[in-house]
Amino acid sequence: MNKIRTQLMLCGGTGCDSTGSEKVRQALVREIERQGLADEVEIVVTGCNGFCAVGPVMVVQPEGIFYQKIQPEDAPELVEEHFLKGRPVKRLFYKEPASKDIIPRMDDIPFFASQMFRAMRNKGLIDPEVIDEYIARDGYFALAKALNEMTPDNIIEEMMASGLRGRGGAGFPAGMKWKFAKQAEGDKKFVLCNADEGDPGAFMDRSLLESDPHAILEGMTIAAKAINAHKGYIYCRSEYPLAIKRLGIAIAQAKDYGLLGEDILGSGFNFDIEVYQGAGAFVCGEETALMRSIEGKRGMPRPRPPFPAHKGLWEKPTILNNVETLVNVPQIILKGGEWYASVGTEKSKGTKVFALSGDVANIGLVEIPMGTTLRTLVYDIGGGVPNKRKFKAVQLGGPSGGCVPEEYLDTPIDYEEIVKVGAIMGSGGAIVMDNHTCMVDMARYFMDFIQDESCGKCTPCREGTKQMLEILEAICKGKGQSGDIERLETLAHVIRRTSLCGLGQTAPNPVLSTLRYFRDEYEAHIEEKRCPAKICPDLVKFEVDPELCKRCGLCHKGCPADAIIWKKKQVAVIDKEKCIKCMSCYARCPFDAIF
Ligand SMILES: Cc1cc2nc3c(=O)[nH]c(=O)nc-3n(C[C@H](O)[C@H](O)[C@H](O)COP(=O)(O)O)c2cc1C
Ligand code: SF4
Ligand code: SF4
Ligand code: SF4
Ligand code: FES
């Protein structure tokens, strides 16, 4: 008989893997055996738990005790104290950064408490490499329902009722897209999953692929039944080896169980899925470019119409959905569109996953109901801005997005409301920025990325983004000239209007949104040759203000060039000859004394 009384849900996602969770697993296995608990304590390696910043993380079930930053050396104490003697190890508990409160249970940690898990419902709860664990959490039940009890129209009706909008950026209603593809004439049709995830810093899709691969297969197969497709591709960037490995395992297991392939669940319906590895070009995430890439051609966008629902992969009717969109499908079919739509705002239903990063205490993946305010995201879940600094803006939507300043933090997360304040929902990147962020430099960073990734097919995008970048670089170097802001605006509007695909059409967004809220920073750089955030190295003097210096010596400790002269109780002095402008003293000084 199975005597397992404790399950250790150890995160094996990419983040925790890189901080050593595999070594922790090995150490735990050794200790569990050594202390004679192998029959009672089981280790389950899960996908990303969401709180990657404090990894490797582990949740002990059934109590729900959350351990963070575990090291292999912690294994003997954990096993003896907690699993043998029942005394959880407090020093590995989560500590709230602001209050310093120690919180033992995962559900009580504010980072998790305000979330609602739908797309991430299985994260940290199943071994993604074991199909039975997915099935045990109602996996493939929706597929059985869709294949045996529903017509394609029923499926599409549920999807329409759910109000689910594409999570890849544009927010087009999924049900509507499926309806167009179903109505399209074609001997062959395709279902594609966009797992390209090109936005810098985003890892929502990778996390879902790693933690719940069967949900994607199930969502795609339901979509296939809705439009009568028999072949699907998952387009995943090759930089995601763990995701690709887990997808491969999931596909093989699903086929083995008769849940994919020929005559699925004895219904007579056939559908097969292949993983296609992309080389990581940002533009290949654009739907028409992605399709060309699968066809083996160079991934370049083409004009629409014709839309992929009519002429997509190999000119056949095709639907392409983002990973997060597809992961939501099984539950919509199982619980109904109404259930899904019961959460959210009037036009944005359900939940949205965000990759919260930047100057925020709790970095990780969060899933929140649509309509939650940005303030809740940044402060209640994110824990606010650390190091006693001030919130400046939250950048949403990656290179196509914009930033939202303090005064609009009460904006509800909703596709239309976020656009009104100059940003976009995008795929879910949320970068929090404190008062040490230079907004011109931030705009320069995104423009650098975009001009590098432009496929070059159309001149305004190819040449225009380059010109915008050159202007931004000059401004950051203190070589800005009067008229630069106007030149940026003119270029932005031309590129927006005349580019062929979304990459060019949205490329100017970070510039326009920073100009909208932080125009004075551009002006300070250009007119006064001053960077108000003191970030642009060419505009920082590397001097210490004796009035502000509290003589603490923190700057001195971190200087890699030994360029700071400091003695106890004395004001620090920077030797400009030696200084290599690395900015580390500036980042370390708690009193903003270096200018
Ligand atoms: C330059 C560019 C890059 C894109 N990259 C992605 C991506 O990485 N992942 C994604 O799902 N959608 C991306 N999109 C959006 C897709 O073209 C498409 O709208 C989306 O995959 C459709 O799925 P959805 O309706 O479920 O959101 C990108 C669009 C553009 C213009
Ligand atoms: S807008 Fe840019 S990325 Fe898109 S097709 Fe034109 S050149 Fe290529
Ligand atoms: S910028 Fe870097 S090298 Fe220069 S004084 Fe500061 S820490 Fe030292
Ligand atoms: S860290 Fe700041 S306050 Fe402390 S000695 Fe250096 S300049 Fe002065
Ligand atoms: S990878 Fe472990 S919490 Fe994200």
Side-chain angles (χ1 to χ4, degrees), residues 364-417:
L365 275 193
V366 298
E367 182 171 2
I368 40 179
M370 294 281 194
T372 305
T373 65
L374 290 169
R375 193 180 295 281
T376 302
L377 177 65
V378 173
Y379 285 95
D380 299 347
I381 299 174
V385 177
N387 305 326
K388 298 197 178 114
R389 291 185 181 171
K390 285 203 192 89
F391 172 89
K392 187 163 187 176
V394 53
Q395 207 276 353
L396 299 173
S400 321
C403 51
V404 183
E406 169 92 54
E407 60 195 290
Y408 294 115
L409 269 187
D410 290 312
T411 305
I413 291 168
D414 168 293
Y415 285 93
E416 282 73 23
E417 292 301 314

Side-chain angles (χ1 to χ4, degrees), residues 338-529:
E338 298 267 315
W339 166 81
Y340 192 78
S342 67
V343 158
T345 64
E346 194 193 334
K347 290 189 180 157
S348 302
K349 301 295 184 194
T351 57
K352 176 80 195 90
V353 180
F354 284 92
L356 190 60
S357 65
D359 305 318
V360 66
N362 302 328
I363 288 173
L365 275 193
V366 298
E367 182 171 2
I368 40 179
M370 294 281 194
T372 305
T373 65
L374 290 169
R375 193 180 295 281
T376 302
L377 177 65
V378 173
Y379 285 95
D380 299 347
I381 299 174
V385 177
N387 305 326
K388 298 197 178 114
R389 291 185 181 171
K390 285 203 192 89
F391 172 89
K392 187 163 187 176
V394 53
Q395 207 276 353
L396 299 173
S400 321
C403 51
V404 183
E406 169 92 54
E407 60 195 290
Y408 294 115
L409 269 187
D410 290 312
T411 305
I413 291 168
D414 168 293
Y415 285 93
E416 282 73 23
E417 292 301 314
I418 285 185
V419 168
K420 277 188 204 157
V421 294
I424 57 162
M425 182 89 79
S427 62
I431 308 168
V432 178
M433 295 179 284
D434 69 18
N435 53 330
H436 281 217
T437 314
C438 169
M439 301 314 263
V440 189
D441 180 61
M442 197 272 289
R444 184 203 54 76
Y445 166 79
F446 281 117
M447 192 51 73
D448 187 29
F449 175 82
I450 282 292
Q451 74 86 33
D452 217 31
E453 295 289 336
S454 166
C455 82
K457 186 167 176 171
C458 36
T459 321
C461 171
R462 186 183 66 236
E463 300 300 328
T465 56
K466 210 166 159 207
Q467 282 186 30
M468 284 185 83
L469 176 65
E470 279 167 10
I471 298 173
L472 291 165
E473 280 176 343
I475 297 177
C476 289
K477 284 198 171 122
K479 294 184 180 151
Q481 296 166 0
S482 68
D484 274 353
I485 293 181
E486 293 69 22
R487 269 189 284 280
L488 281 173
E489 281 172 335
T490 310
L491 279 164
H493 293 300
V494 173
I495 296 168
R496 239 186 187 181
R497 264 188 296 112
T498 53
S499 290
L500 171 62
C501 87
L503 188 144
Q505 286 157 4
T506 60
N509 286 355
V511 176
L512 290 173
S513 93
T514 44
L515 273 173
R516 177 168 164 183
Y517 297 118
F518 302 96
R519 203 180 184 92
D520 53 337
E521 283 196 28
Y522 282 81
E523 288 164 355
H525 280 75
I526 297 168
E527 288 156 25
E528 301 164 38
K529 308 296 175 211

Side-chain angles (χ1 to χ4, degrees), residues 20 103 131 218 223 282 294 323 348 359 378 400 418 528 558 582 588:
I103 309 177
I131 188 171
E218 189 178 5
F282 179 61
I294 295 181
V323 171
S348 302
D359 305 318
V378 173
S400 321
I418 285 185
E528 301 164 38
C582 72
R588 274 165 188 265

Side-chain angles (χ1 to χ4, degrees), residues 229-251:
H230 303 295
K231 178 85 191 185
Y233 292 91
I234 300 173
Y235 189 92
C236 187
R237 55 178 47 222
S238 53
E239 288 101 321
Y240 286 181
L242 187 59
I244 290 167
K245 176 187 149 208
R246 293 206 168 139
L247 280 172
I249 293 171
I251 290 172

